[in-house]
Amino acid sequence: MTPFTPQIQYTRLPTSSPSPSISPTSTLNSTPNPSRSSSPFQLKLKSSPLPIMSSSKRFRIRPIQAFLTISILAICLLPFLHYKREEVKGYFQSDYLKIDLSQQHIPQASGGISEHLNIPLTLEARLHYLLSKPALYQWEAELQNRHNCPFYTFSRNTYFFHDGKPEQWEKVDPTEIRRYRSKMVDYLRTVEREGGQLVWDKSMEKDVLPEDRRGIILTGGEGKTLARLKISLHMLRHVLHSTLPIEVYHFPDELQDPTERQKLETEFDVRLKEVGGKSSNGKSWHIKNSAFLASNFTEFVYMDSDNIPLVDPRTLFDSIEYKQSGSVFWADLNKDHPDNAIFRIVGKTCTDDHWPAEAGQLLFDKRGNNGLNLAILHLSNHMMTNPDLYGFLSYGDKDTFRYSFYALGLPYQQAPKIFATTGGYQTQNGESSLDFCGHSMIQWGLTPASARHDPTYHPPPAFLHTILAKHRSNLQPSKLFSHIKRPRLDGISEPLLVRTLYEFTGDCFALTLKGPDGAPGVENSMGDGQGVDTFALRDVLGDGHVWREVKRISEEFVKINSNS
């Protein structure tokens, strides 16, 4: 088979031409760009075929014929080359870089350590490397962290979780850092001594049927949480027709009604699983860690109970991103604070190239990173079960997965696109408004193998995570999920997204650009193509059965919120 040769484009540094604005059609339902027009040299070849011998003889070109043909072409091209002499001269100079357009849209794995360090991919080697990293004071790491995570790209100091934290982070001195690292190692050793397995191996699935090694995990079991969970299950089984096995994890005091249990098991074909350790303060995020470790699934998609799937999760396992490192995490709406002591603890520099991840959905393979992905789940569990140590370093479970990858120097994968804000033109109290009010997140899908070499590909919506909508009452169903706002350039590694000041505004959050829109033709435009666009969700989803069901669910969702 002839190997594939990727597209190559030559790009001048710095880029001098603005990116064109992106329409909803070209962005969300795009097709590959047609090939470039042939150059004059190519046109000449097509219009001047070489002499062909009679059909009874082999095709052969004599040296004199080749010389004459090249001479004629050179004479024809000389005026063009003279007129374009500066461009032709610059084309071959060193201020051009080769960019492989066919892979540019797939983000590289995040969180790993450089291969040149030659740290073996074993747990012992990674823990030894963690303990050997320098333990720094805050002032020693401040310059580099603040350079890589600058304050001008996000309101880091006013983000609610960061409020009042810098003073606490600064008190974490080198002695404390070494204590944190030692506790990580001690915890993992304890798990091992008590019979737990830290590194996945094939023996862990020897008693598991092949069809039960990959599935969906959800959590929840009471009140409004259970009502919203049923919406997700309905979408999975009756709209998207997913055939993956589903496990629903709950605490002992939940789902005790036999009728309710039977209804869930028969109507949605789920397996109900009980785990302990319910928190008294109402924030029992650690149930996720318990579920991941207890499940027999080697590979799983996790979804929060307030997350509405828009595609069959089975398709995500075949994506390029997932196969690169055995895990995928989707971006959250905040950015890291450069002074957070966690970066000194795990021995890593803060960087905006790794977006903070939310945990409303994630894709995970325990076999990933030579089986060390299982150790990631244990280390995350350690962080979640020690809020006195990590409560001021991470906001819930979502950060602990990423911090665990950092601590062991293992790569994880980011979804290729940042989320879109979802909502409608009503206030958070349900009154009609001319202003957009966002309360949910559209998280886009991943890259299928068929789009590996298609830089114009944009994944369809995969999840509708109703992070704030579940806390709103009196909302109008018709405007609940009517529109989305998204960055025009929404690639997770897009420099104009990473290094430009976007912000998320208030209780009706939306992604807004601080500064002039970059679309061509706009007054005061920077001409760089960046900005924020608004689309009707119907146009994004298409007028099919998924959109019709989202409309119907809106009525049900509002009723759940209205119940006391």
Side-chain angles (χ1 to χ4, degrees):
M1 179 181 294
T2 304
F4 174 80
T5 302
Q7 308 171 47
I8 298 294
Q9 173 176 302
Y10 288 87
T11 307
R12 186 185 298 274
L13 295 179
T15 305
S16 58
S17 59
S19 303
S21 62
I22 302 175
S23 68
T25 302
S26 64
T27 304
L28 302 173
N29 299 297
S30 54
T31 55
N33 292 327
S35 59
R36 290 186 186 174
S37 300
S38 301
S39 68
F41 184 78
Q42 293 170 317
L43 289 173
K44 190 66 181 176
L45 283 174
K46 291 180 181 179
S47 60
S48 302
L50 297 172
I52 301 178
M53 304 295 289
S54 64
S55 59
S56 60
K57 297 182 180 180
R58 293 178 58 190
F59 173 86
R60 180 179 300 171
I61 182 169
R62 298 177 182 276
I64 187 63
Q65 292 173 321
F67 175 78
L68 290 174
T69 302
I70 294 172
S71 299
I72 294 171
L73 286 173
I75 293 171
C76 294
L77 287 173
L78 277 176
F80 171 80
L81 294 176
H82 176 76
Y83 179 73
K84 297 284 187 179
R85 60 187 181 279
E86 293 301 322
E87 292 183 27
V88 173
K89 177 183 177 182
Y91 185 86
F92 295 101
Q93 290 182 344
S94 60
D95 62 339
Y96 282 85
L97 292 177
K98 284 185 177 182
I99 298 176
D100 183 355
L101 292 180
S102 68
Q103 296 276 357
Q104 201 174 354
H105 58 300
I106 300 174
Q108 296 298 309
S110 301
I113 57 178
S114 178
E115 291 184 1
H116 83 274
L117 295 173
N118 295 320
I119 309 298
L121 198 55
T122 66
L123 185 58
E124 290 299 324
R126 295 303 166 122
L127 292 177
H128 177 76
Y129 182 62
L130 172 65
L131 294 174
S132 69
K133 291 179 180 179
L136 305 176
Y137 287 98
Q138 194 275 335
W139 61 267
E140 293 179 287
E142 180 179 285
L143 182 62
Q144 188 172 0
N145 282 330
R146 291 191 178 189
H147 173 74
N148 289 348
C149 294
F151 289 103
Y152 68 78
T153 63
F154 184 72
S155 50
R156 303 173 198 264
N157 279 326
T158 58
Y159 176 59
F160 76 93
F161 177 71
H162 296 161
D163 187 32
K165 298 298 193 308
E167 294 80 6
Q168 298 180 58
W169 294 331
E170 189 174 1
K171 294 177 182 177
V172 179
D173 60 17
T175 300
E176 279 291 286
I177 288 172
R178 285 188 283 268
R179 185 171 75 93
Y180 269 95
R181 294 173 182 172
S182 295
K183 282 186 174 293
M184 291 182 194
V185 176
D186 290 345
Y187 175 80
L188 295 177
R189 298 285 184 242
T190 301
V191 170
E192 206 165 33
R193 283 196 301 269
E194 294 177 352
Q197 201 156 346
L198 297 175
V199 181
W200 189 93
D201 65 55
K202 204 161 181 60
S203 67
M204 297 183 70
E205 61 180 18
K206 63 182 175 60
D207 298 324
V208 182
L209 295 173
E211 59 268 25
D212 288 337
R213 296 173 184 173
R214 174 185 284 181
I216 301 170
I217 296 176
L218 297 103
T219 55
E222 62 180 353
K224 295 181 180 180
T225 299
L226 179 57
R228 285 188 286 267
L229 178 64
K230 291 178 182 177
I231 291 178
S232 298
L233 291 172
H234 168 74
M235 287 293 293
L236 286 168
R237 289 301 195 216
H238 304 318
V239 179
L240 302 171
H241 304 293
S242 178
T243 58
L244 285 172
I246 300 176
E247 295 180 344
V248 175
Y249 286 79
H250 63 91
F251 290 118
D253 62 339
E254 300 172 344
L255 278 177
Q256 295 305 302
D257 182 356
T259 304
E260 187 69 70
R261 294 178 66 88
Q262 184 179 15
K263 183 178 179 181
L264 287 171
E265 290 171 341
T266 56
E267 183 177 349
F268 302 116
D269 187 23
V270 302
R271 304 163 189 172
L272 301 178
K273 304 280 187 174
E274 185 179 293
V275 291
K278 187 173 185 179
S279 175
S280 58
N281 65 6
K283 295 292 187 182
S284 297
W285 290 316
H286 62 277
I287 190 175
K288 299 180 187 180
N289 305 77
S290 300
F292 300 164
L293 290 169
S295 177
N296 284 330
F297 293 149
T298 301
E299 304 174 83
F300 60 85
V301 176
Y302 170 77
M303 291 173 50
D304 275 350
S305 58
D306 62 346
N307 202 333
I308 302 171
L310 302 173
V311 298
D312 182 356
R314 182 186 293 276
T315 62
L316 303 176
F317 290 108
D318 297 323
S319 66
I320 301 299
E321 290 84 5
Y322 176 65
K323 290 183 177 180
Q324 284 189 155
S325 63
S327 63
V328 179
F329 293 82
W330 278 259
D332 202 2
L333 54 77
N334 65 296
K335 285 190 176 183
D336 287 320
H337 196 292
D339 297 343
N340 192 333
I342 191 63
F343 296 109
R344 292 184 286 127
I345 291 170
V346 300
K348 184 173 180 61
T349 303
C350 183
T351 172
D352 273 353
D353 292 336
H354 305 168
W355 284 84
E358 62 140 335
Q361 65 284 304
L362 59 89
L363 196 59
F364 204 85
D365 185 352
K366 295 176 183 177
R367 302 170 301 180
N369 287 309
N370 200 31
L372 294 183
N373 272 9
L374 181 58
I376 294 295
L377 297 182
H378 283 288
L379 193 52
S380 173
N381 193 51
H382 161 66
M383 296 180 185
M384 282 303 300
T385 52
N386 287 277
D388 55 322
L389 287 172
Y390 293 94
F392 73 107
L393 299 171
S394 63
Y395 183 50
D397 59 290
K398 59 182 182 178
D399 290 326
T400 63
F401 300 109
R402 189 166 51 105
Y403 294 168
S404 298
F405 277 106
Y406 292 162
L408 298 183
L410 298 174
Y412 66 94
Q413 195 68 32
Q414 299 184 103
K417 304 295 180 182
I418 195 174
F419 65 90
T421 310
T422 312
Y425 288 88
Q426 60 179 322
T427 67
Q428 59 177 314
N429 297 319
E431 301 169 354
S432 295
S433 172
L434 295 177
D435 297 321
F436 173 82
C437 180
H439 46 59
S440 303
M441 304 165 77
I442 283 284
Q443 293 287 13
W444 307 96
L446 307 177
T447 309
S450 60
R452 177 194 293 271
H453 302 294
D454 180 4
T456 65
Y457 178 78
H458 195 292
F463 301 98
L464 175 55
H465 191 190
T466 62
I467 54 173
L468 295 182
K470 63 185 178 185
H471 299 302
R472 302 284 185 261
S473 58
N474 303 318
L475 295 177
Q476 301 178 49
S478 63
K479 297 181 179 180
L480 185 65
F481 305 125
S482 62
H483 289 79
I484 70 168
K485 292 187 75 171
R486 57 176 285 268
R488 190 175 297 125
L489 302 175
D490 63 349
I492 200 71
S493 303
E494 167 57 52
L496 292 173
L497 176 66
V498 173
R499 303 300 277 187
T500 299
L501 179 55
Y502 290 85
E503 69 175 3
F504 302 94
T505 55
D507 290 330
C508 284
F509 77 90
L511 189 79
T512 59
L513 172 67
K514 298 291 287 185
D517 194 290
V522 175
E523 186 177 358
N524 297 323
S525 171
M526 297 296 292
D528 55 11
Q530 64 179 329
V532 179
D533 287 329
T534 302
F535 305 118
L537 183 55
R538 176 177 180 173
D539 294 337
V540 177
L541 290 176
D543 191 16
H545 68 291
V546 174
W547 164 246
R548 291 193 295 272
E549 198 60 28
V550 168
K551 281 184 17 181
R552 189 198 66 79
I553 285 172
S554 299
E555 299 275 355
E556 186 177 347
F557 193 94
V558 169
K559 288 180 181 178
I560 293 172
N561 286 4
S562 300
N563 294 333
S564 57

